Amino acid sequence: MKTTIIKTIALALCASGLSATAVQAQQAKEQFFPLLVYRTGPYAPNGTPWANGKQDYLKLINARDGGVNGVKLTYEECETGYATDKGVECYERLKGKGASLFDPQATGITFALTDKVPQDKIPLITLGYGLSSSQDGNVFKWNFPLMGSYWTAADMLIQHLAKKEGGFDKLKGKKIALVYHDSPFGKEPIPLLDERQKMHGFDLVKIPVTAPGVEQKSAWLQVRQQRPDYVLLWGWGVMNSTALKEAQATGYPREKMYGVWWAGAEPDVKDVGEGAKGYNALALNTSGQTPKVIQDILKLVHDKGQGTGPKDEVGSVLYTRGLIIQMLGVEAVRRAQERFGKGKVMSGEQVRWGLENLALDDKKLAALGLTGVIRPISTSCQDHMGSTWARVHTWDGAKWNFSSDWLQADEMIIKPMVKAGADKYAGEKKLTRRTPEDCQS
Amino acid sequence: MLYRENGQFKATYRADQQIFPIRQDRIALIALLLIAFVLVPLSAPEYLFRAILIPFLILSLAALGLNILVGYCGQISLGTGAFMAVGAYAAYNFQVRIEGMPLIASLLLGGACSTVVGVLFGIPSLRIKGLYLAVATLAAQFFVDWAALRLKWVTNGSDSGSVSVAGLQVFGFSLQSPAAKYLFCLAIVALFALLAKNLVRSAIGREWMAMRDMDVAAAVIGIRPVYAKLTAFAVSAFIVGVAGALWGFIHLGAWEPAAFNIDRSFQLLFMVIIGGLGSIMGAFLGAAFIVLLPILLDQIPLWFGIPISTATASHLTSMIFGALIVFFLIVEPHGLARLWSTAKEKLRLWPFPH
């Protein structure tokens, strides 16, 4: 009697094990990408092309290469509306579907998720946004602010202004205003600007704009009173075009306005038209339909009627940025497969290793069809940013044109700040820095 | 048949005055608590905890607090988000500035700070009422939004204005797992619901209701308006403050002032109105309606495999949600709680209505 029971249980266990492997085998060839997006709300004009680019790239990889080493890419979108609590809900929902990588697409959501991801073992890509000090991979094991943070952006802008003026010593006594979105997103660059202010003796005027930024009359009244030599614009969504219209109304020269890379895309300037002529902003990537990867998307995705969003927006600034974010995610999976087994589905931990060991040189970028779109990027255990290059581009009334060489943030200033920020975070959370052995995992 | 009360006699005042005088209600409540405390933690998946149950519980608590003010005392408030924010930021400051501060103490102290602010902004209610008071409490909302964004002290000098907490524990138990967080919230919410229910049944609760129904008449029969109104503000702000602290600590973990902006105030006011003014259960029903329905509506096209874009789904959700609010308010202006009590009345007579 007893043996029969044991036999039955053993059989049942075997059967359940078999069925589990069968299920796994069925799903084995699909790498799931969760897409947190906002296609509605005050930030929708900028969120939409970004989301379209991300989706189209996944479609392209499936259509052109049949996935990554035979692993098909699947995805599901979840609308956050840029709200933190909705973003957390989306994260939980998509996490349960086997996500191994998240791009939260909002600074607030990034902050809320930063504490959750170490437990769930899922990496976060926050390309060009998020927590600046998370560049320090020794403390922030799961955060990847690839290609730049708000500190590097602010640093590049100050360098550019210095070059324009003819040297850092010429900045002394100049007045630089920071018109910023009053949220963590807008406040992130302030520590760096304070640091630079101390170094060069310019006068920093901080002018907050209440989110979402449609009401800016008082901010621009301040600009009119203070008459700054330059205005740095740290805006997103409707705030940018409103700022440009207000600048026009105030009579502030647009040539002296410099936006962060999130304030320098087509939706920001198109509605203002001629009024935005001369406005400058940082650019992490090129725009336009010339790069090979964009041509591939047009040919293999949009011409087949499977494109996301309008065809003429393919290749716009934010579309291309979305594409790059997705490309880096896909490349991380590819890199992880090189170590953990080609043709397998990668887990969150494995993708994290891939993100930490990215090595995209000119040759690889050329193979991806991204020649000239971005500079080579390689990450490491210590440095979760990779590289931090950007250019300034200027709106001529119809399109963006590059108006500076490649700029790079000054490591001498950024590094100690990143380390101090990461140490403060580690102290608050009672974390210890990762050991060299941990870097191998 | 379900609600036959034949043979349920009450021989003492005590039995007559209990919260649930009908046996079926008591059984249902015990069953509900058993499910909530035992069955759910054992069986629910993580998504249900983190994305649905925890926010539902915390917002129920906030709605409960607001309901005391709006539903029981008749003082319309649009500053609920602000009181939540005060609770959250105060609790945060107690937690990070005082070494070894127990979590429950910080939560309660956060509630206490919120009480002070609530009473302060409740003082105008002695002179003004109705819509005018709503606008006065709106001032609380703007003031706290401003303070949380501008005063470095409030956020403990955080550069970005975003604060976060970690390593929470209660009596040595770590609050890391979703089930532990859920149980912690559930225990607090159950406790506060019981306290609130008893408060509104007591003398002070009757004073609040008298104030709500007709303040002049209430004053004539000897109720002090100052005392009644300010206690309602105090109790309400305390509960809302604790809810705010839970929202920041347990649900979000890291938050910025936008988590407690004016939208949150409106959301809570809608919960109270849809759930039922002047009803403890209404707060829970309202929270369920406002929290769960949009998530559900978002998912429905997906379940049926209807390929519509994310933006369209989101717009559709807003439209259907708005339409449902209007529909409910027309069909049952007294809220979901009234709908439930009507159903109960019907069940008492079923299956032989007369």
Side-chain angles (χ1 to χ4, degrees):
Chain A
M1 184 64 194
K2 212 174 184 181
T3 44
T4 14
I5 293 173
I6 291 170
K7 265 185 195 163
T8 332
I9 291 172
L11 256 176
L13 278 176
C14 278
S16 64
L18 274 177
S19 61
T21 38
V23 170
Q24 266 169 10
Q26 244 174 14
Q27 296 172 335
K29 293 291 173 192
E30 287 186 351
Q31 183 86 33
F32 175 67
F33 282 89
L35 302 177
L36 264 54
V37 300
Y38 38 96
R39 295 175 181 275
T40 60
Y43 307 100
N46 297 51
T48 306
W50 179 355
N52 290 345
K54 281 161 75 173
Q55 218 184 86
D56 274 354
Y57 190 75
L58 292 175
K59 287 177 184 166
L60 172 72
I61 294 295
N62 279 339
R64 190 185 61 191
D65 314 338
V68 179
N69 298 323
V71 178
K72 277 259 177 216
L73 308 180
T74 58
Y75 58 85
E76 185 180 326
E77 280 196 348
C78 184
E79 171 74 25
T80 68
Y82 204 76
T84 303
D85 52 342
K86 195 77 204 343
V88 171
E89 194 264 320
C90 280
Y91 167 80
E92 296 295 342
R93 186 194 304 173
L94 297 180
K95 184 181 82 183
K97 300 193 173 174
S100 52
L101 169 70
F102 270 94
D103 167 30
Q105 217 176 322
T107 303
I109 302 175
T110 306
F111 280 46
L113 293 186
T114 295
D115 287 336
K116 290 183 196 280
V117 286
Q119 290 155 35
D120 299 327
K121 304 208 182 307
I122 299 175
L124 287 181
I125 289 192
T126 57
L127 185 137
Y129 65 93
L131 218 68
S132 299
S133 50
S134 64
Q135 182 185 359
D136 189 335
N138 272 338
V139 170
F140 294 90
K141 189 173 170 181
W142 301 90
N143 291 49
F144 292 87
L146 297 166
M147 288 176 67
S149 70
Y150 293 132
W151 289 351
T152 67
D155 198 67
M156 287 182 226
L157 280 177
I158 296 293
Q159 283 186 37
H160 181 69
L161 295 185
K163 210 178 270 173
K164 238 179 132 62
E165 290 287 332
F168 280 110
D169 50 323
K170 299 272 175 21
L171 283 178
K172 200 173 174 67
K174 287 268 184 301
K175 199 179 257 183
I176 299 177
L178 174 70
V179 175
Y180 65 95
H181 192 264
D182 204 352
S183 69
F185 155 61
K187 285 183 189 170
E188 273 287 314
I190 291 176
L192 186 281
L193 291 172
D194 282 337
E195 191 76 21
R196 279 279 187 186
Q197 178 187 23
K198 263 183 255 156
M199 288 169 65
H200 312 302
F202 58 80
D203 192 9
L204 181 66
V205 187
K206 297 165 200 163
I207 305 174
V209 171
T210 316
V214 277
E215 186 54 61
Q216 299 185 24
K217 283 271 184 271
S218 64
W220 287 91
L221 201 64
Q222 262 174 284
V223 170
R224 181 148 48 176
Q225 283 166 349
Q226 303 266 354
R227 303 194 167 280
D229 295 287
Y230 294 102
V231 165
L232 305 183
L233 183 65
W234 230 264
W236 180 231
V238 285
M239 176 176 162
N240 297 332
S241 48
T242 315
L244 285 165
K245 280 178 201 152
E246 291 292 344
Q248 195 180 7
T250 321
Y252 190 84
R254 264 72 71 203
E255 290 77 16
K256 293 186 166 186
M257 290 173 66
Y258 287 84
V260 66
W261 41 60
W262 299 117
E266 289 84 358
D268 306 322
V269 286
K270 241 184 352 215
D271 294 345
V272 197
E274 281 296 303
K277 207 168 158 183
Y279 168 64
N280 313 287
L282 279 174
L284 279 170
N285 52 269
T286 57
S287 56
Q289 301 197 333
T290 30
K292 185 174 166 293
V293 64
I294 303 277
Q295 288 298 324
D296 282 354
I297 284 180
L298 286 173
K299 204 164 66 205
L300 294 167
V301 181
H302 272 266
D303 286 351
K304 300 247 163 74
Q306 285 164 352
T308 323
K311 196 173 170 182
D312 55 327
E313 276 181 20
V314 172
S316 65
V317 174
L318 286 167
Y319 180 96
T320 310
R321 191 155 314 148
L323 183 153
I324 290 166
I325 294 172
Q326 210 54 60
M327 177 277 290
L328 289 167
V330 170
E331 286 315 301
V333 171
R334 199 188 302 276
R335 184 85 177 92
Q337 283 192 7
E338 284 170 18
R339 175 171 170 184
F340 298 103
K342 280 191 180 168
K344 283 190 188 153
V345 178
M346 293 293 109
S347 71
E349 279 172 292
Q350 290 165 336
V351 174
R352 192 197 66 77
W353 184 87
L355 279 169
E356 206 161 71
N357 292 279
L358 281 177
L360 298 173
D361 51 13
D362 277 323
K363 220 173 90 193
K364 274 201 182 142
L365 286 179
L368 291 166
L370 284 162
T371 310
V373 178
I374 54 168
R375 300 263 304 210
I377 176 170
S378 67
T379 51
S380 71
C381 181
Q382 286 80 29
D383 181 13
H384 275 194
M385 187 180 286
S387 62
T388 158
W389 296 94
R391 280 176 285 188
V392 172
H393 60 186
T394 306
W395 181 252
D396 68 359
K399 64 178 192 308
W400 290 101
N401 299 308
F402 287 110
S403 52
S404 86
D405 279 340
W406 286 100
L407 297 162
Q408 193 176 24
D410 190 348
E411 283 290 302
M412 299 293 281
I413 300 170
I414 301 279
K415 252 195 183 146
M417 286 182 68
V418 167
K419 173 129 194 327
D423 280 341
K424 183 168 176 254
Y425 182 87
E428 277 174 12
K429 304 281 147 115
K430 300 182 177 60
L431 298 171
T432 46
R433 287 188 159 265
R434 290 164 67 192
T435 54
E437 295 86 66
D438 194 38
C439 281
Q440 301 306 316
S441 67
Chain B
M1 290 298 272
L2 284 172
Y3 252 101
R4 202 170 58 170
E5 292 162 50
N6 260 358
Q8 296 185 29
F9 301 112
K10 291 170 190 79
T12 57
Y13 284 118
R14 222 182 128 77
D16 198 35
Q17 285 178 345
Q18 56 187 324
I19 297 180
F20 297 101
I22 305 166
R23 189 193 296 136
Q24 287 90 334
D25 278 349
R26 285 198 296 275
I27 295 170
L29 188 82
I30 290 167
L32 190 71
L33 285 178
L34 273 179
I35 291 172
F37 272 102
V38 181
L39 204 64
V40 171
L42 287 177
S43 60
E46 193 178 346
Y47 169 71
L48 199 64
F49 284 129
R50 292 210 187 191
I52 292 176
L53 289 173
I54 293 174
F56 158 70
L57 281 173
I58 299 174
L59 289 179
S60 300
L61 185 63
L64 187 71
L66 182 65
N67 213 342
I68 286 183
L69 191 63
V70 181
Y72 284 98
C73 197
Q75 312 293 310
I76 299 176
S77 162
L78 284 176
T80 328
F83 300 145
M84 278 180 88
V86 172
Y89 281 104
Y92 167 75
N93 275 302
F94 282 116
Q95 186 80 14
V96 295
R97 283 174 201 275
I98 300 172
E99 193 65 33
M101 190 77 172
L103 175 63
I104 292 185
S106 347
L107 293 180
L108 293 180
L109 283 169
C113 291
S114 174
T115 309
V116 174
V117 177
V119 170
L120 220 61
F121 280 95
I123 290 174
S125 72
L126 308 175
R127 284 297 180 90
I128 53 179
K129 50 188 170 185
L131 273 177
Y132 299 93
L133 181 65
V135 176
T137 50
L138 206 57
Q141 183 68 49
F142 290 131
F143 174 75
V144 172
D145 266 0
W146 174 86
L149 278 169
R150 301 282 189 287
L151 302 182
K152 282 254 173 194
W153 188 86
V154 173
T155 53
N156 197 18
S158 152
D159 291 327
S160 57
S162 171
V163 298
S164 67
V165 287
L168 299 175
Q169 51 178 12
V170 181
F171 304 126
F173 291 107
S174 162
L175 284 185
Q176 287 291 340
S177 76
K181 286 181 175 182
Y182 160 78
L183 279 175
F184 181 66
C185 289
L186 182 66
I188 289 188
V189 172
L191 197 72
F192 272 91
L194 185 68
L195 284 176
K197 181 75 191 174
N198 277 316
L199 259 183
V200 298
R201 278 150 34 98
S202 68
I204 184 80
R206 285 171 211 286
E207 285 186 17
W208 293 339
M209 284 185 267
M211 259 355 270
R212 170 192 67 189
D213 292 340
M214 197 173 193
D215 50 354
V216 179
V220 166
I221 59 168
I223 293 169
R224 286 167 296 163
V226 180
Y227 179 73
K229 284 181 179 174
L230 289 187
T231 44
F233 263 99
V235 171
S236 161
F238 181 75
I239 299 178
V240 170
V242 172
L246 284 177
W247 188 256
F249 277 54
I250 308 285
H251 180 49
L252 294 179
W255 71 95
E256 47 175 318
F260 303 108
N261 62 6
I262 185 128
D263 290 346
R264 185 73 60 212
S265 297
F266 284 130
Q267 193 190 28
L268 286 163
L269 197 63
F270 295 156
M271 281 182 195
V272 172
I273 292 173
I274 289 170
L277 287 163
S279 152
I280 299 293
M281 190 171 72
F284 289 92
L285 294 177
F289 186 84
I290 300 266
V291 173
L292 304 186
L293 200 68
I295 296 178
L296 207 69
L297 287 175
D298 258 355
Q299 292 286 291
I300 287 175
L302 214 70
W303 286 343
F304 289 98
I306 304 165
I308 58 173
S309 77
T310 321
T312 320
S314 172
H315 290 308
L316 265 178
T317 303
S318 300
M319 280 189 266
I320 296 171
F321 188 61
L324 273 175
I325 289 181
V326 174
F327 173 78
F328 263 114
L329 289 183
I330 291 172
V331 173
E332 186 45 271
H334 296 288
L336 297 172
R338 181 62 158 272
L339 217 57
W340 168 241
S341 64
T342 315
K344 216 161 80 170
E345 286 300 319
K346 288 218 154 66
L347 279 176
R348 276 183 177 165
L349 300 174
W350 183 84
F352 306 114
H354 49 74

